[in-house]
Amino acid sequence: MTDETEAELTGATARRRPKASIDTIGGRKLKPSTMMMGHGYDPVLSEGSLKPPIFLTSTFVFPNAAAGKRHFEGVTGKRPGGAEGLVYSRFNGPNQEILEDRLAVWEEAEDALAFSSGMSAIATLFLSMVKPGDTIVHSGPLYAATETLIARILGRFGVHWLDFPAGATRAEIDAVLSRAASGNVALIYLESPANPTNALVDVEAVAASRDAIFKGTKPPIAIDNTFLGPLWAQPLKQGADIVVYSLTKYAGGHSDLVAGGVLGSKEHINAIRLMRNTIGTICDPHTAWMLLRSLETLELRMSRAGENAVKVCEYLRTHPKVEHVGYLGFLEEGSRQADIYNRHCTGAGSTFSLYLKGGETEAFAFLDALKIAKLAVSLGGTETLASHPAGMTHLSVPEARKQALGITDNLVRISIGVEDADDLIADFEEALQAV
Ligand SMILES: *Cc1c(COP(=O)(O)O)cnc(C)c1O
């Protein structure tokens, strides 16, 4: 029986489905790095093409009217789980579906959604969860645009917020959540490590606090995992319900696209999908295709970048012109941050803070003398990037808050890429001589 006649007979899918993906061999569970080469795509459905074609179409033909109706029941949420077939490209497409299947694999999430940017993912998550009068409790600091979205934009619609510092203890988290619980807490939103402080959030403590304080319906915990995910941190395992990504960074990994992702249980993803279907924040098929290519080398790229960062940071930390290196690999043994790191992380990433001796003059001299590292904001690409937060990404942050966050004029942010580590060290050595 062909897929088509089977679909017609069961009336269930009315669509050719890829053959089931293999996720175990001889009882051995396959690793994500293996599954990225085939999961969710069956070449038989695309003329045998080894790689998925890019499906440039705005709409999809229904096999019959009843199937069209059934699909719309899925799109509109009359039936949970989304449409069983493809309908219209604001809702989904083959490239995005394969991408979503593969994204979910990395964190063993039940389901995932792809978005046109990290911020459109975060905005769609918020819009699907909050209503006027609700409170969002969040860790701080957050990515600047996320803070703007919560405080200034959702604030205009009567949404309140309360925050606790990223490194907060269980008691401090309890205090903030208890205060917030007098209102309706719609969402607990975390970002770990915080940018640019690199402070880790104790997700286990946040989940335990939430469970102790909220009886009955509990607000979901969402976390931005852009800096360490999916290789070095998987917060669903520590009790988060929803994971958010700027796929622009390590997941995309080549500084050539902008996209976002959200992972979680089917129940949460269904609610977020309904909002995405309404406002159209899905990523385009070409970007989805690029991300499929990126995911094939994700583990290679992130592993190499992580190894390079260890070597570069070891070199920098003893240099006489360096005041301090804020790198997760150098947490003080026995400290609370080291304890969170040991429970939550499997690697220190490749993005860190370099504090030079001096101020803006020294930082700028260093940045202007770099030859391999590129002077640009963003992170997680194959190439090493360096930037000056106080004068660039955090320029509009008030002076007092900058000081509180450690965003001083001598701070340089560095994201290490996959170049040769010794070449990078030579570049930093020369640039430090120019300071
Ligand atoms: C870049 C970034 C975002 C925003 O993602 P875009 O893809 O630029 O929209 C959100 N959170 C973190 C931690 C980021 O680094």
Side-chain angles (χ1 to χ4, degrees):
M1 185 162 57
T2 67
D3 288 343
E4 275 151 315
T5 55
E6 182 185 56
E8 271 162 40
L9 285 177
T10 61
T13 59
R15 173 186 169 201
R16 306 214 304 176
R17 282 276 176 191
K19 72 169 186 283
S21 294
I22 296 165
D23 57 8
T24 53
I25 284 185
R28 178 189 160 78
K29 193 171 181 316
L30 300 180
K31 295 282 168 27
S33 52
T34 304
M35 296 188 62
M36 288 310 107
M37 267 54 100
H39 184 64
Y41 174 65
D42 184 350
V44 167
L45 303 184
S46 296
E47 310 279 0
S49 175
L50 176 70
K51 292 297 187 199
I54 303 179
F55 288 84
L56 294 177
T57 183
S58 62
T59 193
F60 297 86
V61 177
F62 303 134
N64 54 55
K69 180 180 175 189
R70 219 184 135 72
H71 290 353
F72 264 91
E73 288 168 357
V75 166
T76 54
K78 275 204 154 85
R79 250 180 327 101
E84 284 164 3
L86 296 167
V87 172
Y88 181 66
S89 294
R90 195 177 80 235
F91 308 143
N92 220 330
N95 299 103
Q96 294 94 324
E97 281 196 344
I98 301 165
L99 172 62
E100 288 164 354
D101 286 350
R102 291 190 192 173
L103 281 176
V105 165
W106 286 95
E107 300 210 33
E108 296 182 45
E110 273 179 26
D111 211 346
L113 294 170
F115 291 87
S116 55
S117 71
M119 283 317 303
S120 76
I122 294 167
T124 307
L125 164 73
F126 289 166
L127 288 178
S128 71
M129 300 259 161
V130 301
K131 60 181 189 314
D134 284 352
T135 301
I136 296 175
V137 177
H138 70 83
S139 63
L142 297 174
Y143 185 74
T146 310
E147 285 198 356
T148 302
L149 183 57
I150 292 175
R152 299 215 213 133
I153 299 175
L154 292 180
R156 292 208 312 256
F157 299 93
V159 175
H160 311 291
W161 59 269
L162 268 179
D163 65 349
F164 56 84
T169 62
R170 169 72 194 270
E172 290 167 331
I173 297 163
D174 279 349
V176 172
L177 279 185
S178 301
R179 243 181 84 200
S182 60
N184 186 48
V185 179
L187 181 67
I188 300 170
Y189 186 84
L190 313 174
E191 187 177 309
S192 181
N195 178 23
T197 58
N198 262 2
L200 294 168
V201 177
D202 190 339
V203 181
E204 282 176 337
V206 172
S209 176
R210 186 265 318 259
D211 292 347
I213 288 167
F214 295 88
K215 311 294 173 199
T217 41
K218 299 176 196 300
I221 298 169
I223 180 166
D224 185 330
N225 197 30
T226 299
F227 272 72
L228 291 179
L231 207 62
W232 301 306
Q234 305 195 338
L236 296 176
K237 298 196 168 92
Q238 280 89 43
D241 302 295
I242 299 161
V243 172
V244 177
Y245 278 97
S246 167
L247 300 175
T248 312
K249 315 297 167 56
Y250 287 98
H254 297 72
S255 308
D256 57 5
L257 60 83
V258 173
V262 175
L263 285 58
S265 69
K266 286 203 182 297
E267 190 193 340
H268 287 123
I269 293 296
N270 284 343
I272 303 163
R273 183 190 286 110
L274 271 184
M275 182 55 69
R276 190 188 69 173
N277 284 350
T278 304
I279 64 178
T281 42
I282 191 169
C283 80
D284 67 279
H286 183 257
T287 300
W289 187 95
M290 301 256 286
L291 279 162
L292 291 175
R293 168 182 270 212
S294 292
L295 291 183
E296 295 186 7
T297 57
L298 182 137
E299 192 185 84
L300 279 175
R301 287 184 287 105
M302 290 185 80
S303 301
R304 172 65 173 262
E307 288 160 20
N308 280 355
V310 176
K311 292 179 189 161
V312 168
C313 288
E314 285 292 353
Y315 166 78
L316 290 173
R317 78 190 301 196
T318 56
H319 196 283
K321 291 190 179 166
V322 171
E323 184 182 284
H324 175 69
V325 179
Y327 166 60
L328 286 174
F330 295 159
L331 295 174
E332 193 188 326
E333 204 63 49
S335 66
R336 178 168 160 69
Q337 280 289 304
D339 171 49
I340 301 173
Y341 179 84
N342 291 334
R343 284 185 285 120
H344 290 35
C345 308
T346 55
S350 83
T351 302
F352 61 92
S353 299
L354 173 65
Y355 292 89
L356 297 174
K357 287 182 183 157
E360 190 187 84
T361 310
E362 287 73 14
F364 279 17
F366 172 75
L367 288 169
D368 288 339
L370 290 168
K371 289 178 183 150
I372 297 173
K374 305 287 188 293
L375 178 53
V377 298
S378 196
L379 59 125
T382 46
E383 64 285 288
T384 295
L385 301 182
S387 66
H388 188 254
M392 298 169 189
T393 48
H394 294 70
L395 184 66
S396 56
V397 175
E399 206 49 46
R401 185 155 161 79
K402 268 194 205 169
Q403 291 304 322
L405 295 176
I407 304 170
T408 45
D409 285 337
N410 64 334
L411 165 63
V412 172
R413 273 295 263 186
I414 296 177
S415 165
I416 296 291
V418 302
E419 302 94 336
D420 180 85
D422 292 327
D423 288 348
L424 288 174
I425 289 170
D427 193 25
F428 290 131
E429 185 158 17
E430 261 197 24
L432 282 167
Q433 271 163 24
V435 173

